[in-house]
């Protein structure tokens, strides 16, 4: 544990922009998982295989905290029942009675990781 506080408050967003800056890329690389909140929706950013991925934080099965999961070969494993999700499309391990994990558009610009906030809020409604 590094002892650094993780902010889960809504980050500032430029007026008229659908993209919200979440954290510096360097922080995501260092921590692998960064928690965030957009419009009341809890998310996680993940650094995996040299890319940034944004997804919902609660497991679609029984809402375990996926920021406590583990990564292996492009999949995120839930800490509670060990179902896993493909980080390309969110699909869950075959045979599990749950929907896919929501994956959100993400981009890296100006040394920050940005999430498409409109995609997050529209997926939740
Ligand atoms: S809560 Fe995640 S697999 Fe059951």
């Amino acid at each position: 544990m590094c002892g650094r506080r993780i902010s889960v408050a809504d980050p500032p967003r430029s007026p008229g922009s659908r993209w919200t800056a979440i954290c510096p890329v360097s922080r995501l690389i260092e921590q692998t998982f960064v928690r965030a909140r957009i419009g009341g929706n809890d998310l996680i950013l993940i650094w995996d295989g040299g890319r940034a991925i944004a997804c919902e934080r609660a497991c679609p099965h029984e809402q375990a905290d996926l920021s406590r999961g583990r990564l292996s070969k492009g999949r995120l494993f839930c800490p509670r029942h060990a179902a896993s999700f493909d980080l390309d499309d969110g699909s869950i391990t075959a045979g599990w009675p749950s929907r896919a994990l929501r994956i959100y558009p993400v981009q890296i610009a100006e040394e920050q990781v940005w999430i498409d906030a409109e995609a997050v809020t529209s997926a939740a409604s």
Side-chain angles (χ1 to χ4, degrees):
M1 177 170 239
C2 68
R4 179 187 290 173
R5 283 191 61 193
I6 298 173
S7 171
V8 294
D10 276 358
R13 184 162 42 156
S14 305
S17 170
R18 63 187 297 157
W19 294 95
T20 296
I22 302 299
C23 70
V25 178
S26 58
R27 178 178 162 201
L28 180 59
I29 292 170
E30 178 187 323
Q31 295 182 197
T32 307
F33 290 88
V34 171
R35 298 173 188 152
R37 178 173 289 167
I38 294 179
N41 301 293
D42 291 315
L43 314 172
I44 47 176
L45 280 175
I46 300 168
W47 186 256
D48 181 60
R51 64 182 176 150
I53 296 140
C55 65
E56 60 189 324
R57 183 172 164 188
C59 178
H61 180 228
E62 290 183 0
Q63 289 73 54
D65 182 354
L66 291 172
S67 72
R68 298 178 180 272
R70 68 177 174 82
L71 298 170
S72 179
K73 299 177 182 171
R75 299 191 69 86
L76 172 61
F77 287 77
C78 177
R80 185 172 299 163
H81 302 121
S84 68
F85 301 91
D86 186 314
L87 291 176
D88 287 327
D89 62 7
S91 59
I92 191 169
T93 313
W96 281 81
S98 277
R99 65 170 171 77
L101 184 68
R102 291 185 179 115
I103 306 285
Y104 303 110
V106 62
Q107 65 176 336
I108 295 173
E110 301 169 357
E111 300 182 24
Q112 298 284 316
V113 184
W114 302 71
I115 293 179
D116 182 340
E118 285 185 18
V120 173
T121 53
S122 65
S125 59

